[in-house]
Amino acid sequence: VDGIDLFLDEVAGAEHRDIQFVPKAERYDLTWGHPDPTLLPVDELRVAADAVLSHRGWQALSYGTSEGAGRLRHALAERLGRGTTADELVVTHGSSGALDLVLGLVSEPGDVVLVEQPTYFLALRIIADRRLRIVGLPPGAHLAPAVAEAATAHGGRTFLYVIPTHANPTGRTLGLDERRALVATAAEHDVTIVEDEVYAELGTEVLPSLADLDPERVVRLGSFSKTIAPGLRLGYVRTTAERAAALAGCGVLDSGGGINPFVAGIVADLMETGAYGRIVDRLGATYRERMAVLLGTIDDAHLPAGRPTAGFFAWIRAAQGDLVAAAADVGLAVAPASSFCVDRIAPTHARVSCSLLGPADLAEASARLASVLAGRGRTCGV
Amino acid sequence: VDGIDLFLDEVAGAEHRDIQFVPKAERYDLTWGHPDPTLLPVDELRVAADAVLSHRGWQALSYGTSEGAGRLRHALAERLGRGTTADELVVTHGSSGALDLVLGLVSEPGDVVLVEQPTYFLALRIIADRRLRIVGLPPGAHLAPAVAEAATAHGGRTFLYVIPTHANPTGRTLGLDERRALVATAAEHDVTIVEDEVYAELGTEVLPSLADLDPERVVRLGSFSKTIAPGLRLGYVRTTAERAAALAGCGVLDSGGGINPFVAGIVADLMETGAYGRIVDRLGATYRERMAVLLGTIDDAHLPAGRPTAGFFAWIRAAQGDLVAAAADVGLAVAPASSFCVDRIAPTHARVSCSLLGPADLAEASARLASVLAGRGRTCGV
């Protein structure tokens, strides 16, 4: 018993269920995009929470400004750089709340949202809850021409939801040329892009986001779930100052006094003291090491979306057969490709995550995955 | 300089704006439904935050269950009593987030929402953002017959938004007979009620909520903004277990791992240690004393909705003239009646709040308000 198991012992006898995570039957669970509990910056948060309540108590506990705490938005604008200003930022309930908030403002029921295949499956639920039509782009297609073709075919108001960096579930990062081509295509076909950049800070190189390339046409979503902790439920939207003001003017944000002023005050404190930068550097490096361990035994032929160097996820392809079933035979839980697609996809593909397990578990899981892919279990080799 | 002014000195020189409150030009500001900063339980929250991070760190910082932390929902169900169970509760982003979440599930654009006049003005914005049609009931009408008449006139799917206890802006509390009549009328005319009970815990007597009387037909919204602190942005929905599961199944809650797990853990701790009960008792008693001070000099003739004994608000009527302008002449800021109504209303009415100012300021404000109402300023006497 180590890693996540050690922590789960803590909650096994709990009277009430507080956490989302439920362990799979398999010994090595590569399905969850959750951080390893040992990586959560509990001590830094304890210090920051105490500092906020000691020095700014009533301000952190009062109704906040609709657009979110000024200190956080200014610190964040500085960190995002590339010309980002505080008045372009709205604090949100994670990137999930950000996506829902943005769709509520800019879309009408019945509009089309284009998505890559595979893509983040729960974003599809948020989009569907807003009564929008989801159209999946062809799996593996080059993004810019696929968007051009789909937008032309549709004709009506069209959005694109995309994760440019260390994507969920593929780990793929769009290069700078691909980013430029994509925003040019979007401009040509009048497509509004919503980019979900929750993993962007975890890499060694931060490319310009799509919003950096075209701030008018691209709404950027961000989150502190991966760079601090998911339980904080704090994220943000970057858009034009005009659209940011319209988001902040919605009834929920005005009535509630912004999103999570108390937590926003804590995150602002982490940024101002420099703790945030240290936490992100530590988490990013740890996940990069873990990704290298997880993929160390995996041949390029099994990585159709490329070899991710950072973030949480990689996309695995077996030559044939059902990869989820074959992995389960050797004690591995992997996430089925069908979860991430609108259209049908072969069961040869699956998502694996390096975020939850420690390096020893990941090394063993990697060896077992390699053996499955080499055809030494069910027929899944190249 | 005392009371709120003392605190505002703290933020006057601040580089960035974090709080919603902006002082009015008048010396005594009775417009805001915000708690006095001195009443916020900063110390209790510091203890609870430290306890949660020390003893439950990773659990409070991980993705939570979609419906919200089990510990909080169980403690809350016990506190609400009257048969409430944990599976009927969903943790939300305050009562504002609760209203938006519920409307997203149970309504379709174009449905009608009946509201009292006057009512909580920012609820109207949240309802309008969901593209629903707002129909104001006649000011001062008896609620059950007015609902029956409006529902009959409309014919289509109809909701009622109502604040049964210590209402915003009138301070009016529906008696038990009125509550029974209202749920009976709603049943007869197939109206779904959304009750906003954010002030209910602040009184000495807690009547059965409408949801207690008819759990199938009434969705109850609650909040910790008035009983702990607004900056926590935590509230809840009570509805049927089936509807609660549907709310928890929406994309935003599933993707995000529930609302504010970290803050929910802190509030659960406050409940389990008994601190919550002590805070509510203290705040409730303080606001009741302040309400008595504010209304002590005001004649019943100027309180058309009755004399509130608890909560934040009272509804004031002058015999004639513009009450906001007359009050401003003597250094009082009061909230204009028109803010709280869909239809036109005479400027003789206004809302006053006892929540923000200390007792000395309230006593002086009360004396000045009485002088205005007695006609010793502009023509506003009885």
Side-chain angles (χ1 to χ4, degrees), chain A residues 7 11 16-18 20 56 59 61 63 70-71 74 96 120 125 129 226 231 233 249 251 254-256 260 262, chain B residues 11 16-18 20 46 56 58-59 61 63 70-71 74 96 120 125 129 226 231 233 249 251 254-256 260 262:
Chain A
F7 287 91
V11 293
H16 307 304
R17 182 157 179 72
D18 286 0
Q20 188 181 52
R56 307 177 53 81
Q59 292 187 56
L61 297 174
Y63 287 104
R71 287 169 62 233
H74 279 83
S96 304
Y120 174 48
R125 295 260 303 281
D129 285 349
K226 279 74 183 176
R233 289 289 78 218
D254 194 359
S255 172
N260 294 4
F262 173 54
Chain B
V11 292
H16 308 304
R17 184 159 177 72
D18 285 0
Q20 188 180 54
R46 192 164 47 207
R56 307 178 52 81
W58 74 273
Q59 292 187 56
L61 297 175
Y63 286 104
R71 289 169 62 231
H74 279 83
S96 304
Y120 174 48
R125 294 261 304 281
D129 285 349
K226 279 74 183 177
R233 290 289 76 219
D254 194 358
S255 173
N260 295 6
F262 172 54

Short mmCIF file of all heavy atoms in Angstrom, two decimals, chain A residues 7 11 16-18 20 56 59 61 63 70-71 74 96 120 125 129 226 231 233 249 251 254-256 260 262, chain B residues 11 16-18 20 46 56 58-59 61 63 70-71 74 96 120 125 129 226 231 233 249 251 254-256 260 262:
data_model
loop_
_atom_site.label_atom_id
_atom_site.label_comp_id
_atom_site.label_asym_id
_atom_site.label_seq_id
_atom_site.Cartn_x
_atom_site.Cartn_y
_atom_site.Cartn_z
N PHE A 7 -3.68 7.09 0.89
CA PHE A 7 -4.62 8.15 1.18
C PHE A 7 -6.05 7.63 1.21
O PHE A 7 -6.86 8.07 2.02
CB PHE A 7 -4.49 9.28 0.15
CG PHE A 7 -3.25 10.07 0.35
CD1 PHE A 7 -2.08 9.73 -0.30
CD2 PHE A 7 -3.24 11.14 1.22
CE1 PHE A 7 -0.93 10.45 -0.09
CE2 PHE A 7 -2.09 11.87 1.43
CZ PHE A 7 -0.93 11.52 0.77
N VAL A 11 -10.00 7.54 3.83
CA VAL A 11 -11.42 7.80 3.59
C VAL A 11 -12.25 6.52 3.52
O VAL A 11 -13.48 6.58 3.47
CB VAL A 11 -11.65 8.61 2.29
CG1 VAL A 11 -11.10 10.00 2.44
CG2 VAL A 11 -11.08 7.91 1.09
N HIS A 16 -19.18 9.78 5.42
CA HIS A 16 -19.77 10.52 4.30
C HIS A 16 -18.75 10.73 3.21
O HIS A 16 -17.58 10.93 3.47
CB HIS A 16 -20.30 11.86 4.79
CG HIS A 16 -21.22 11.75 5.94
ND1 HIS A 16 -22.35 10.97 5.91
CD2 HIS A 16 -21.16 12.30 7.19
CE1 HIS A 16 -22.96 11.05 7.08
NE2 HIS A 16 -22.26 11.84 7.88
N ARG A 17 -19.22 10.72 2.00
CA ARG A 17 -18.36 10.81 0.83
C ARG A 17 -18.13 12.28 0.46
O ARG A 17 -19.05 13.00 0.16
CB ARG A 17 -19.07 10.06 -0.30
CG ARG A 17 -18.32 10.00 -1.54
CD ARG A 17 -18.72 8.85 -2.45
NE ARG A 17 -17.88 8.98 -3.61
CZ ARG A 17 -16.59 8.71 -3.60
NH1 ARG A 17 -16.03 8.18 -2.54
NH2 ARG A 17 -15.85 8.93 -4.66
N ASP A 18 -16.88 12.68 0.43
CA ASP A 18 -16.53 14.07 0.07
C ASP A 18 -15.81 14.16 -1.27
O ASP A 18 -15.89 15.20 -1.93
CB ASP A 18 -15.62 14.69 1.15
CG ASP A 18 -16.37 15.04 2.42
OD1 ASP A 18 -17.61 14.82 2.48
OD2 ASP A 18 -15.74 15.53 3.36
N GLN A 20 -14.45 13.01 -5.24
CA GLN A 20 -14.96 12.44 -6.48
C GLN A 20 -14.32 11.09 -6.81
O GLN A 20 -14.97 10.20 -7.35
CB GLN A 20 -14.67 13.44 -7.61
CG GLN A 20 -15.31 13.12 -8.95
CD GLN A 20 -14.93 14.16 -10.01
OE1 GLN A 20 -13.76 14.47 -10.23
NE2 GLN A 20 -15.94 14.73 -10.65
N ARG A 56 -6.26 40.45 6.01
CA ARG A 56 -7.26 41.04 5.13
C ARG A 56 -8.65 40.51 5.44
O ARG A 56 -9.57 40.66 4.63
CB ARG A 56 -6.93 40.74 3.65
CG ARG A 56 -5.53 41.14 3.23
CD ARG A 56 -5.24 40.74 1.80
NE ARG A 56 -6.25 41.25 0.90
CZ ARG A 56 -6.30 42.48 0.42
NH1 ARG A 56 -5.37 43.34 0.76
NH2 ARG A 56 -7.26 42.85 -0.38
N GLN A 59 -12.10 41.88 4.24
CA GLN A 59 -12.12 42.12 2.80
C GLN A 59 -12.26 40.82 2.02
O GLN A 59 -12.92 40.76 0.98
CB GLN A 59 -10.85 42.83 2.35
CG GLN A 59 -10.75 44.25 2.87
CD GLN A 59 -9.56 44.97 2.26
OE1 GLN A 59 -9.43 45.05 1.06
NE2 GLN A 59 -8.68 45.47 3.12
N LEU A 61 -13.81 38.27 3.05
CA LEU A 61 -15.06 37.60 3.44
C LEU A 61 -16.30 38.40 3.05
O LEU A 61 -17.42 37.98 3.33
CB LEU A 61 -15.06 37.33 4.95
CG LEU A 61 -13.96 36.39 5.43
CD1 LEU A 61 -13.96 36.29 6.96
CD2 LEU A 61 -14.13 35.00 4.82
N TYR A 63 -18.76 40.64 0.14
CA TYR A 63 -19.11 40.55 -1.28
C TYR A 63 -17.98 41.17 -2.10
O TYR A 63 -17.52 42.28 -1.79
CB TYR A 63 -20.41 41.31 -1.56
CG TYR A 63 -21.65 40.61 -1.05
CD1 TYR A 63 -22.31 41.04 0.09
CD2 TYR A 63 -22.15 39.50 -1.72
CE1 TYR A 63 -23.45 40.39 0.56
CE2 TYR A 63 -23.29 38.84 -1.26
CZ TYR A 63 -23.93 39.29 -0.13
OH TYR A 63 -25.04 38.64 0.33
N GLY A 70 -9.55 42.35 -7.55
CA GLY A 70 -8.60 43.12 -8.34
C GLY A 70 -7.16 42.66 -8.16
O GLY A 70 -6.39 42.60 -9.12
N ARG A 71 -6.81 42.31 -6.93
CA ARG A 71 -5.43 41.86 -6.68
C ARG A 71 -5.11 40.62 -7.49
O ARG A 71 -4.03 40.48 -8.06
CB ARG A 71 -5.21 41.58 -5.20
CG ARG A 71 -5.15 42.82 -4.35
CD ARG A 71 -5.21 42.46 -2.87
NE ARG A 71 -4.10 41.65 -2.44
CZ ARG A 71 -4.21 40.49 -1.80
NH1 ARG A 71 -5.39 39.98 -1.52
NH2 ARG A 71 -3.15 39.83 -1.41
N HIS A 74 -4.88 41.47 -11.31
CA HIS A 74 -3.65 42.18 -11.68
C HIS A 74 -2.43 41.25 -11.63
O HIS A 74 -1.58 41.28 -12.52
CB HIS A 74 -3.45 43.40 -10.77
CG HIS A 74 -4.26 44.57 -11.21
ND1 HIS A 74 -5.60 44.73 -10.86
CD2 HIS A 74 -3.96 45.62 -12.02
CE1 HIS A 74 -6.06 45.84 -11.42
NE2 HIS A 74 -5.09 46.40 -12.12
N SER A 96 -14.37 24.93 -15.92
CA SER A 96 -15.73 24.43 -16.21
C SER A 96 -16.75 25.56 -16.06
O SER A 96 -17.60 25.76 -16.93
CB SER A 96 -16.09 23.30 -15.26
OG SER A 96 -15.14 22.27 -15.32
N TYR A 120 -12.01 16.68 -24.52
CA TYR A 120 -12.36 16.54 -23.10
C TYR A 120 -13.85 16.24 -22.97
O TYR A 120 -14.69 17.07 -23.31
CB TYR A 120 -11.98 17.82 -22.36
CG TYR A 120 -12.42 17.86 -20.91
CD1 TYR A 120 -12.18 16.77 -20.07
CD2 TYR A 120 -13.08 18.96 -20.40
CE1 TYR A 120 -12.59 16.81 -18.74
CE2 TYR A 120 -13.48 19.01 -19.07
CZ TYR A 120 -13.24 17.92 -18.26
OH TYR A 120 -13.66 17.95 -16.94
N ARG A 125 -20.42 17.82 -22.11
CA ARG A 125 -21.62 17.86 -21.27
C ARG A 125 -22.02 19.31 -20.97
O ARG A 125 -23.21 19.66 -20.97
CB ARG A 125 -21.38 17.11 -19.96
CG ARG A 125 -21.16 15.60 -20.13
CD ARG A 125 -22.44 14.83 -19.82
NE ARG A 125 -22.89 15.14 -18.48
CZ ARG A 125 -22.37 14.61 -17.37
NH1 ARG A 125 -21.42 13.72 -17.45
NH2 ARG A 125 -22.83 14.96 -16.19
N ASP A 129 -25.45 21.01 -22.10
CA ASP A 129 -26.37 21.61 -21.11
C ASP A 129 -26.84 22.99 -21.55
O ASP A 129 -27.91 23.45 -21.13
CB ASP A 129 -25.68 21.72 -19.74
CG ASP A 129 -25.56 20.38 -19.03
OD1 ASP A 129 -26.17 19.40 -19.50
OD2 ASP A 129 -24.84 20.31 -18.01
N LYS A 226 -5.06 22.60 -11.83
CA LYS A 226 -3.87 21.79 -12.13
C LYS A 226 -2.61 22.44 -11.58
O LYS A 226 -1.60 21.76 -11.40
CB LYS A 226 -3.73 21.58 -13.63
CG LYS A 226 -4.60 20.48 -14.21
CD LYS A 226 -6.05 20.88 -14.29
CE LYS A 226 -6.93 19.73 -14.80
NZ LYS A 226 -8.35 20.12 -14.78
N GLY A 231 -9.69 21.43 -5.63
CA GLY A 231 -10.70 21.75 -4.62
C GLY A 231 -10.90 23.23 -4.41
O GLY A 231 -11.87 23.65 -3.78
N ARG A 233 -11.49 25.25 -6.84
CA ARG A 233 -12.51 25.64 -7.82
C ARG A 233 -12.36 27.09 -8.24
O ARG A 233 -13.28 27.89 -8.13
CB ARG A 233 -13.93 25.41 -7.28
CG ARG A 233 -14.41 24.00 -7.13
CD ARG A 233 -14.68 23.30 -8.44
NE ARG A 233 -13.42 22.89 -9.03
CZ ARG A 233 -13.16 22.94 -10.34
NH1 ARG A 233 -14.04 23.38 -11.18
NH2 ARG A 233 -12.00 22.55 -10.80
N GLY A 249 -21.21 41.52 -15.77
CA GLY A 249 -22.52 42.13 -15.59
C GLY A 249 -23.66 41.14 -15.50
O GLY A 249 -24.81 41.55 -15.31
N GLY A 251 -26.29 38.42 -13.98
CA GLY A 251 -26.98 38.44 -12.69
C GLY A 251 -26.27 37.63 -11.61
O GLY A 251 -26.16 38.08 -10.47
N ASP A 254 -23.15 39.54 -10.35
CA ASP A 254 -23.49 40.78 -9.67
C ASP A 254 -24.15 40.47 -8.32
O ASP A 254 -23.78 41.02 -7.28
CB ASP A 254 -24.43 41.60 -10.56
CG ASP A 254 -24.55 43.04 -10.09
OD1 ASP A 254 -23.93 43.39 -9.06
OD2 ASP A 254 -25.25 43.82 -10.74
N SER A 255 -25.10 39.57 -8.34
CA SER A 255 -25.81 39.22 -7.11
C SER A 255 -24.88 38.57 -6.09
O SER A 255 -24.93 38.86 -4.90
CB SER A 255 -26.96 38.26 -7.44
OG SER A 255 -27.56 37.77 -6.27
N GLY A 256 -24.02 37.68 -6.57
CA GLY A 256 -23.16 36.94 -5.65
C GLY A 256 -21.93 37.70 -5.21
O GLY A 256 -21.26 37.32 -4.26
N ASN A 260 -16.12 33.23 -5.50
CA ASN A 260 -15.15 32.81 -4.48
C ASN A 260 -14.16 33.87 -4.00
O ASN A 260 -12.94 33.65 -4.07
CB ASN A 260 -14.32 31.64 -5.02
CG ASN A 260 -15.14 30.41 -5.25
OD1 ASN A 260 -16.35 30.44 -5.08
ND2 ASN A 260 -14.49 29.32 -5.60
N PHE A 262 -13.10 34.69 -1.14
CA PHE A 262 -12.19 34.17 -0.11
C PHE A 262 -11.05 33.39 -0.74
O PHE A 262 -9.86 33.64 -0.46
CB PHE A 262 -12.98 33.30 0.88
CG PHE A 262 -12.15 32.57 1.89
CD1 PHE A 262 -11.23 33.23 2.69
CD2 PHE A 262 -12.28 31.19 2.04
CE1 PHE A 262 -10.46 32.54 3.63
CE2 PHE A 262 -11.52 30.50 2.96
CZ PHE A 262 -10.60 31.17 3.75
N VAL B 11 -9.10 50.28 2.75
CA VAL B 11 -9.05 50.01 1.32
C VAL B 11 -8.96 51.28 0.47
O VAL B 11 -8.76 51.20 -0.73
CB VAL B 11 -10.29 49.20 0.84
CG1 VAL B 11 -10.24 47.81 1.41
CG2 VAL B 11 -11.58 49.89 1.19
N HIS B 16 -5.74 48.00 -5.92
CA HIS B 16 -6.72 47.25 -6.71
C HIS B 16 -7.99 47.04 -5.91
O HIS B 16 -7.95 46.84 -4.71
CB HIS B 16 -6.13 45.90 -7.12
CG HIS B 16 -4.81 46.01 -7.79
ND1 HIS B 16 -4.62 46.79 -8.91
CD2 HIS B 16 -3.60 45.49 -7.48
CE1 HIS B 16 -3.36 46.72 -9.27
NE2 HIS B 16 -2.70 45.94 -8.41
N ARG B 17 -9.08 47.01 -6.61
CA ARG B 17 -10.39 46.93 -5.99
C ARG B 17 -10.80 45.46 -5.83
O ARG B 17 -10.91 44.72 -6.78
CB ARG B 17 -11.37 47.66 -6.92
CG ARG B 17 -12.73 47.75 -6.38
CD ARG B 17 -13.57 48.86 -6.98
NE ARG B 17 -14.86 48.70 -6.35
CZ ARG B 17 -15.09 49.01 -5.08
NH1 ARG B 17 -14.14 49.56 -4.37
NH2 ARG B 17 -16.26 48.78 -4.55
N ASP B 18 -11.08 45.05 -4.58
CA ASP B 18 -11.47 43.67 -4.31
C ASP B 18 -12.93 43.56 -3.86
O ASP B 18 -13.55 42.52 -4.05
CB ASP B 18 -10.59 43.06 -3.20
CG ASP B 18 -9.19 42.72 -3.69
OD1 ASP B 18 -8.92 42.95 -4.89
OD2 ASP B 18 -8.39 42.23 -2.88
N GLN B 20 -17.11 44.72 -3.30
CA GLN B 20 -18.23 45.28 -4.06
C GLN B 20 -18.67 46.63 -3.52
O GLN B 20 -19.09 47.50 -4.27
CB GLN B 20 -19.39 44.27 -3.98
CG GLN B 20 -20.58 44.57 -4.87
CD GLN B 20 -21.67 43.52 -4.70
OE1 GLN B 20 -22.11 43.24 -3.59
NE2 GLN B 20 -22.10 42.91 -5.80
N ARG B 46 -10.61 31.34 10.65
CA ARG B 46 -9.17 31.03 10.67
C ARG B 46 -8.93 29.69 11.37
O ARG B 46 -8.15 28.88 10.89
CB ARG B 46 -8.41 32.16 11.36
CG ARG B 46 -6.90 32.06 11.17
CD ARG B 46 -6.22 33.36 11.52
NE ARG B 46 -6.71 33.86 12.79
CZ ARG B 46 -6.73 35.14 13.15
NH1 ARG B 46 -6.28 36.06 12.32
NH2 ARG B 46 -7.18 35.51 14.32
N ARG B 56 -7.45 17.40 7.17
CA ARG B 56 -8.11 16.81 6.01
C ARG B 56 -7.55 17.34 4.71
O ARG B 56 -8.16 17.18 3.65
CB ARG B 56 -9.62 17.11 6.06
CG ARG B 56 -10.30 16.71 7.37
CD ARG B 56 -11.78 17.07 7.37
NE ARG B 56 -12.45 16.56 6.21
CZ ARG B 56 -12.89 15.33 6.07
NH1 ARG B 56 -12.72 14.45 7.03
NH2 ARG B 56 -13.48 14.94 4.96
N TRP B 58 -5.61 17.02 1.86
CA TRP B 58 -5.78 16.59 0.46
C TRP B 58 -7.25 16.36 0.12
O TRP B 58 -7.65 16.58 -1.02
CB TRP B 58 -4.95 15.34 0.20
CG TRP B 58 -5.48 14.08 0.80
CD1 TRP B 58 -5.24 13.60 2.05
CD2 TRP B 58 -6.35 13.12 0.16
NE1 TRP B 58 -5.91 12.42 2.24
CE2 TRP B 58 -6.59 12.10 1.10
CE3 TRP B 58 -6.95 13.05 -1.09
CZ2 TRP B 58 -7.41 11.01 0.81
CZ3 TRP B 58 -7.76 11.97 -1.38
CH2 TRP B 58 -7.98 10.96 -0.44
N GLN B 59 -8.04 15.94 1.10
CA GLN B 59 -9.46 15.69 0.80
C GLN B 59 -10.21 16.98 0.50
O GLN B 59 -11.10 17.01 -0.35
CB GLN B 59 -10.13 14.97 1.97
CG GLN B 59 -9.64 13.56 2.18
CD GLN B 59 -10.45 12.84 3.23
OE1 GLN B 59 -11.65 12.74 3.13
NE2 GLN B 59 -9.77 12.35 4.25
N LEU B 61 -8.90 19.52 -0.84
CA LEU B 61 -8.28 20.18 -1.99
C LEU B 61 -8.42 19.38 -3.28
O LEU B 61 -7.92 19.78 -4.33
CB LEU B 61 -6.80 20.45 -1.70
CG LEU B 61 -6.54 21.41 -0.53
CD1 LEU B 61 -5.05 21.51 -0.25
CD2 LEU B 61 -7.12 22.79 -0.83
N TYR B 63 -10.76 17.08 -6.25
CA TYR B 63 -12.09 17.15 -6.86
C TYR B 63 -13.10 16.54 -5.90
O TYR B 63 -12.89 15.44 -5.40
CB TYR B 63 -12.10 16.38 -8.19
CG TYR B 63 -11.37 17.09 -9.30
CD1 TYR B 63 -10.12 16.66 -9.72
CD2 TYR B 63 -11.95 18.18 -9.94
CE1 TYR B 63 -9.45 17.31 -10.76
CE2 TYR B 63 -11.28 18.83 -10.98
CZ TYR B 63 -10.03 18.39 -11.38
OH TYR B 63 -9.37 19.04 -12.39
N GLY B 70 -20.10 15.37 1.30
CA GLY B 70 -21.05 14.59 2.09
C GLY B 70 -21.16 15.07 3.53
O GLY B 70 -22.25 15.13 4.10
N ARG B 71 -20.01 15.43 4.11
CA ARG B 71 -20.04 15.89 5.51
C ARG B 71 -20.90 17.13 5.65
O ARG B 71 -21.67 17.28 6.60
CB ARG B 71 -18.63 16.18 6.00
CG ARG B 71 -17.79 14.95 6.21
CD ARG B 71 -16.33 15.32 6.44
NE ARG B 71 -16.15 16.13 7.62
CZ ARG B 71 -15.48 17.28 7.65
NH1 ARG B 71 -14.96 17.78 6.55
NH2 ARG B 71 -15.35 17.95 8.77
N HIS B 74 -24.69 16.25 5.15
CA HIS B 74 -25.28 15.55 6.29
C HIS B 74 -25.48 16.49 7.49
O HIS B 74 -26.52 16.46 8.15
CB HIS B 74 -24.43 14.34 6.67
CG HIS B 74 -24.69 13.15 5.80
ND1 HIS B 74 -24.10 12.99 4.56
CD2 HIS B 74 -25.53 12.10 5.94
CE1 HIS B 74 -24.54 11.88 4.00
NE2 HIS B 74 -25.42 11.32 4.81
N SER B 96 -27.47 32.68 -5.21
CA SER B 96 -27.50 33.16 -6.59
C SER B 96 -27.14 32.03 -7.56
O SER B 96 -27.84 31.81 -8.55
CB SER B 96 -26.50 34.31 -6.78
OG SER B 96 -26.76 35.34 -5.87
N TYR B 120 -36.44 40.86 -4.63
CA TYR B 120 -34.98 41.00 -4.70
C TYR B 120 -34.56 41.29 -6.14
O TYR B 120 -34.71 40.45 -7.01
CB TYR B 120 -34.31 39.74 -4.17
CG TYR B 120 -32.81 39.71 -4.32
CD1 TYR B 120 -32.03 40.81 -3.95
CD2 TYR B 120 -32.16 38.61 -4.84
CE1 TYR B 120 -30.66 40.80 -4.10
CE2 TYR B 120 -30.77 38.58 -4.98
CZ TYR B 120 -30.03 39.69 -4.61
OH TYR B 120 -28.67 39.67 -4.76
N ARG B 125 -32.42 39.70 -12.40
CA ARG B 125 -31.37 39.65 -13.43
C ARG B 125 -30.98 38.20 -13.73
O ARG B 125 -30.76 37.83 -14.89
CB ARG B 125 -30.14 40.43 -12.93
CG ARG B 125 -30.36 41.93 -12.78
CD ARG B 125 -29.83 42.69 -13.98
NE ARG B 125 -28.44 42.38 -14.16
CZ ARG B 125 -27.44 42.91 -13.44
NH1 ARG B 125 -27.70 43.84 -12.54
NH2 ARG B 125 -26.19 42.56 -13.65
N ASP B 129 -31.42 36.45 -17.31
CA ASP B 129 -30.27 35.87 -18.01
C ASP B 129 -30.59 34.47 -18.54
O ASP B 129 -29.98 34.01 -19.50
CB ASP B 129 -29.05 35.77 -17.07
CG ASP B 129 -28.38 37.12 -16.82
OD1 ASP B 129 -28.73 38.09 -17.53
OD2 ASP B 129 -27.53 37.20 -15.93
N LYS B 226 -25.32 35.10 4.70
CA LYS B 226 -25.82 35.91 5.80
C LYS B 226 -25.54 35.28 7.15
O LYS B 226 -25.58 35.97 8.18
CB LYS B 226 -27.34 36.11 5.65
CG LYS B 226 -27.73 37.20 4.67
CD LYS B 226 -27.53 36.80 3.24
CE LYS B 226 -27.85 37.95 2.28
NZ LYS B 226 -27.57 37.56 0.88
N GLY B 231 -18.33 36.31 1.35
CA GLY B 231 -17.15 35.99 0.56
C GLY B 231 -16.88 34.50 0.42
O GLY B 231 -16.08 34.09 -0.41
N ARG B 233 -19.12 32.48 -0.61
CA ARG B 233 -19.90 32.07 -1.80
C ARG B 233 -20.33 30.61 -1.72
O ARG B 233 -20.04 29.81 -2.60
CB ARG B 233 -19.10 32.28 -3.10
CG ARG B 233 -18.86 33.68 -3.54
CD ARG B 233 -20.09 34.38 -4.05
NE ARG B 233 -20.97 34.79 -2.96
CZ ARG B 233 -22.28 34.73 -2.98
NH1 ARG B 233 -22.92 34.23 -3.99
NH2 ARG B 233 -22.99 35.13 -1.97
N GLY B 249 -25.89 16.03 -11.74
CA GLY B 249 -25.45 15.41 -12.99
C GLY B 249 -25.14 16.39 -14.10
O GLY B 249 -24.73 15.98 -15.19
N GLY B 251 -23.16 19.12 -16.40
CA GLY B 251 -21.76 19.10 -16.82
C GLY B 251 -20.84 19.91 -15.94
O GLY B 251 -19.74 19.48 -15.60
N ASP B 254 -20.20 18.05 -12.61
CA ASP B 254 -19.46 16.81 -12.79
C ASP B 254 -18.01 17.13 -13.18
O ASP B 254 -17.05 16.60 -12.61
CB ASP B 254 -20.14 15.97 -13.88
CG ASP B 254 -19.64 14.54 -13.90
OD1 ASP B 254 -18.74 14.21 -13.09
OD2 ASP B 254 -20.13 13.75 -14.71
N SER B 255 -17.85 18.04 -14.13
CA SER B 255 -16.50 18.39 -14.59
C SER B 255 -15.69 19.06 -13.49
O SER B 255 -14.52 18.77 -13.30
CB SER B 255 -16.61 19.34 -15.79
OG SER B 255 -15.35 19.83 -16.17
N GLY B 256 -16.33 19.94 -12.76
CA GLY B 256 -15.61 20.70 -11.75
C GLY B 256 -15.41 19.95 -10.44
O GLY B 256 -14.61 20.35 -9.61
N ASN B 260 -16.88 24.47 -4.82
CA ASN B 260 -16.05 24.91 -3.68
C ASN B 260 -15.78 23.85 -2.63
O ASN B 260 -16.09 24.07 -1.44
CB ASN B 260 -16.73 26.09 -2.98
CG ASN B 260 -16.82 27.29 -3.86
OD1 ASN B 260 -16.47 27.23 -5.02
ND2 ASN B 260 -17.28 28.40 -3.30
N PHE B 262 -13.16 23.06 -1.00
CA PHE B 262 -12.33 23.59 0.09
C PHE B 262 -13.18 24.38 1.08
O PHE B 262 -13.14 24.15 2.30
CB PHE B 262 -11.21 24.46 -0.51
CG PHE B 262 -10.39 25.21 0.49
CD1 PHE B 262 -9.77 24.55 1.55
CD2 PHE B 262 -10.23 26.59 0.39
CE1 PHE B 262 -9.00 25.26 2.48
CE2 PHE B 262 -9.46 27.29 1.30
CZ PHE B 262 -8.86 26.63 2.35
#
